[in-house]
């Protein structure tokens, strides 16, 4: 049952002799514009279990959500996408998209809250050298996890002085051992503009190595492994640490028979060419790809991510909404684009009928393999609780009806599509997640589509 927080008697904050009109005058800004719930954990969270496994339907936990043949098709397609930057016909993104940040209008602000001036923008343009693009087309591989940037700089750019953590220059985290195509060099040579199938951006040059044709062929023929726990250290037999990998990262086995064998990890030699090093496999953390897709298996991986901090673009090694869904589902062969808008656009995605979103979701959604959202936020449908749709997502904040303020959540949570409905004055229905949802995307074939007989 819903837990209704008991009102607490406020402590006296003014002397008893203070006139009431003066107290009201002093408190009016707070009463008018401040959220009142006692904590984020009471907003539709305490009454909902934060254990993904609790939403697996009894008796269906181990039922395959894809046949072995379907998973093999997905594995082959994903592996082809991973290796695509090394193919001769890889074309990449158009120049205008790669350098989009140079065309932005309006001020951007730095860490000190002040707008960047003309000299900052002049230096960014000088570093990008767009007049010489492209100056490279080499095949490369990442040496460690890193941040893909919209411009060759570590400095953030915010739309407003208080817009943390939404650094507009942060494209995405990228893992170690990712095949890529090097397209361009910064003027000082410290940055490389690179592309993968789903990602592009600038990386520090010391986090990328070119790879020889022989080593490319070796990795193109190697079976894939997938990381199933965050903070998985990749090290040599002598325990020399090379890098770290996170849940959802893909690696390459050293042989065609992966069980109990080694993985290949790229290091750069003194000339900047990748050399592949064999590293032992911890089978509790690295497994053959793909994992069998069941509700229980997805729930088990999600369990380890619950409560993780929201992280826009993965700039601190954690996840935002689309990184969560992508990393969580990739181990099963489900290949998703990096941003939320692209994740919910698909041939088998359906528009949600306005005013009827929740009944539509409950009828047509398949728990653990259906995405819900809009361009800007994406959630994984887990099923129902007391007739309400339940979702897993990495959520930064909730909109409130209180002077445009947002109520912070800032972590991976399980909620309904109307979190905060216990306080309708603070969280109006028209600002709820449910009201903003526009599309439902199926990651496997839906059992019932509109117009079909049940």
């Amino acid at each position: 049952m819903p837990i209704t927080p008991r009102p607490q008697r406020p402590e006296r904050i003014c002397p008893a002799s203070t006139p009431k009109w003066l107290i009201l005058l002093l408190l009016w800004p707070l009463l008018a514009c401040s959220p009142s719930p006692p904590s984020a954990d009471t907003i539709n969270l305490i009454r909902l279990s934060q254990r993904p496994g609790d939403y697996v339907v009894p008796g269906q936990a181990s039922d395959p959500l894809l046949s072995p043949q379907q998973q093999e098709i997905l594995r082959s397609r994903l592996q082809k996408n991973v290796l695509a930057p090394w193919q001769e016909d890889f074309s990449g993104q158009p120049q205008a998209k790669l350098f989009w940040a140079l065309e932005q209008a309006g001020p951007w602000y730095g860490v000190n809250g002040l707008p960047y001036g003309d000299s900052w923008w002049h230096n960014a343009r000088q570093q990008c050298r767009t007049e010489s693009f492209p100056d490279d087309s080499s095949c490369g591989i990442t040496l460690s996890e890193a941040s893909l940037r919209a411009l060759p700089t570590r400095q953030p750019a915010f739309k407003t002085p208080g817009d943390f953590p939404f650094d507009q220059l942060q494209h995405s985290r990228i893992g170690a051992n990712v095949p890529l195509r090097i397209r361009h060099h910064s003027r000082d040579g410290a940055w490389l503009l690179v592309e993968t199938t789903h990602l592009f951006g600038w990386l520090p040059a010391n986090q990328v190595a070119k790879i020889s044709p022989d080593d490319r062929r070796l990795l193109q023929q190697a079976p894939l492994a997938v990381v199933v726990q965050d903070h998985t250290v990749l090290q040599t037999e002598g325990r020399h640490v090379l890098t770290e990998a996170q849940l959802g990262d893909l690696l390459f086995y050293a042989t065609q028979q992966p069980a109990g064998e080694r993985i290949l990890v790229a290091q750069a030699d003194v000339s900047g060419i990748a050399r592949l090093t064999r590293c032992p496999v911890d089978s509790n953390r690295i497994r053959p790809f793909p994992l069998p897709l069941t509700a229980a298996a997805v729930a088990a991986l999600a369990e380890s991510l619950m409560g993780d901090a929201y992280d826009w673009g993965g700039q601190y090694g954690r996840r935002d909404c689309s990184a969560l869904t992508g990393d969580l589902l990739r181990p099963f062969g489900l290949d998703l684009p990096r941003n939320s808008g692209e994740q919910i656009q698909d041939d088998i995605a359906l528009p949600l009928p306005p005013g009827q979103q929740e009944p539509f979701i409950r009828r047509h959604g398949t728990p653990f393999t259906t995405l819900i959202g809009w361009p800007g936020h994406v959630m994984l449908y887990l099923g129902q609780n007391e007739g309400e749709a339940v979702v897993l997502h990495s959520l930064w904040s909730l909109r409130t009806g209180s002077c445009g303020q947002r109520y912070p959540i800032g972590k991976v949570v399980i909620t309904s599509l109307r979190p905060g409905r216990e306080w309708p004055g603070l969280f109006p229905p028209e600002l709820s997640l449910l009201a903003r949802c526009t599309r439902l995307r199926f990651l496997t074939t839906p059992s019932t589509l509109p117009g079909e007989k049940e």
Side-chain angles (χ1 to χ4, degrees):
M1 295 179 62
I3 297 177
T4 303
R6 298 180 60 185
Q8 298 181 357
R9 183 176 180 180
E11 296 180 4
R12 178 171 290 174
I13 58 174
C14 297
S17 59
T18 304
K20 291 184 178 179
W21 66 267
L22 180 57
I23 295 174
L24 290 174
L25 181 64
L26 293 171
L27 291 180
W28 175 249
L30 297 176
L31 294 173
C33 295
S34 295
S36 58
S39 76
D41 285 340
T42 64
I43 299 180
N44 204 223
L45 303 184
I46 282 182
R47 71 183 188 88
L48 287 177
S49 168
Q50 295 299 293
R51 295 180 60 89
D54 290 345
Y55 300 93
V56 177
V57 177
Q60 300 179 14
S62 299
D63 291 353
L65 300 176
L66 287 173
S67 69
Q69 294 80 9
Q70 289 172 315
Q71 274 213 286
E72 174 56 26
I73 291 172
L74 291 178
R75 181 209 63 77
S76 177
R77 185 183 303 164
L78 187 147
Q79 188 156 3
K80 182 178 179 181
N81 284 341
V82 168
L83 297 169
W86 290 349
Q87 300 301 315
E88 290 185 6
D89 59 355
F90 182 77
S91 57
Q93 300 290 345
Q95 181 173 348
K97 187 171 183 177
L98 294 173
F99 294 98
W100 68 269
L102 294 177
E103 306 303 323
Q104 294 306 292
W108 274 349
Y109 296 82
V111 292
N112 58 0
L114 299 177
Y116 288 124
D118 292 342
S119 62
W120 189 89
W121 284 105
H122 176 75
N123 181 65
R125 290 185 172 88
Q126 290 290 310
Q127 276 281 75
C128 287
R129 300 171 52 248
T130 56
E131 70 282 357
S132 301
F133 176 84
D135 67 5
D136 202 343
S137 187
S138 301
C139 295
I141 191 168
T142 54
L143 303 174
S144 62
E145 56 181 344
S147 286
L148 282 162
R149 306 288 292 166
L151 292 174
T153 177
R154 289 187 175 89
Q155 297 177 19
F158 302 107
K159 286 185 176 180
T160 64
D163 204 28
F164 179 87
F166 301 104
D167 175 6
Q168 300 303 302
L169 299 184
Q170 178 68 14
H171 278 184
S172 178
R173 171 193 174 269
I174 187 171
N177 267 32
V178 176
L180 50 79
R181 183 65 66 94
I182 301 170
R183 301 291 306 281
H184 199 51
H185 296 70
S186 63
R187 183 171 297 277
D188 62 9
W191 294 82
L192 300 176
L193 181 60
V194 304
E195 289 191 68
T196 72
T197 297
H198 294 311
L199 300 172
F200 67 88
W202 293 89
L203 287 178
N206 62 4
Q207 293 176 325
V208 178
K210 295 182 179 182
I211 187 165
S212 69
D214 287 344
D215 282 341
R216 287 205 311 272
R217 282 189 290 271
L218 177 63
L219 295 183
Q220 286 168 334
Q221 297 169 7
L224 289 179
V226 64
V227 179
V228 296
Q229 291 187 39
D230 277 348
H231 308 298
T232 293
V233 176
L234 305 181
Q235 56 188 355
T236 66
E237 295 280 6
R239 303 185 66 82
H240 173 63
V241 174
L242 302 182
T243 187
E244 190 175 84
Q246 310 300 334
L247 188 152
D249 287 352
L250 297 173
L251 302 169
F252 297 93
Y253 278 113
T255 67
Q256 292 296 319
Q257 301 298 324
E261 289 294 336
R262 303 290 184 262
I263 56 171
L264 295 170
V265 179
Q267 294 181 283
D269 64 16
V270 293
S271 60
I273 304 299
R275 295 290 178 257
L276 301 179
T277 300
R278 290 179 176 239
C279 295
V281 170
D282 181 345
S283 59
N284 293 318
R285 291 178 168 272
I286 301 173
R287 296 179 189 167
F289 172 84
L291 305 181
L293 178 59
T294 66
V298 178
L301 290 191
E303 189 82 34
S304 66
L305 303 178
M306 295 307 303
D308 273 8
Y310 177 95
D311 184 10
W312 168 264
Q315 54 195 316
Y316 302 108
R318 310 289 5 111
R319 298 170 179 86
D320 56 22
C321 63
S322 54
L324 174 68
T325 49
D327 289 353
L328 178 59
L329 297 171
R330 190 178 304 109
F332 304 96
L334 298 170
D335 190 22
L336 296 175
R338 177 57 181 88
N339 69 66
S340 57
E342 292 180 349
Q343 285 191 5
I344 59 169
Q345 299 293 332
D346 189 84
D347 292 342
I348 53 174
L350 296 176
L352 292 172
Q356 295 295 316
Q357 294 102 317
E358 189 153 25
F360 192 92
I361 291 167
R362 292 200 308 266
R363 182 185 177 199
H364 300 296
T366 302
F368 294 93
T369 60
T370 299
L371 300 181
I372 308 167
W374 63 90
H377 192 61
V378 64
M379 303 165 277
L380 179 67
Y381 177 60
L382 297 185
Q384 300 180 40
N385 179 74
E386 298 180 359
E388 286 189 299
V390 177
V391 292
L392 168 74
H393 50 148
S394 185
L395 178 62
W396 174 244
S397 64
L398 294 172
R399 289 184 173 185
T400 77
S402 180
C403 300
Q405 293 190 20
R406 301 186 72 95
Y407 199 83
I409 302 295
K411 59 183 177 180
V412 177
V413 290
I414 294 172
T415 71
S416 74
L417 291 173
R418 294 177 291 170
R421 64 185 175 86
E422 297 89 342
W423 291 273
L426 187 64
F427 301 101
E430 64 270 17
L431 297 181
S432 68
L433 301 174
L434 179 63
R436 302 177 70 192
C437 288
T438 59
R439 294 188 72 81
L440 185 77
R441 180 185 174 184
F442 305 105
L443 301 175
T444 57
T445 304
S447 56
T448 306
L449 287 173
E452 292 184 350
K453 294 181 180 180
E454 297 189 39

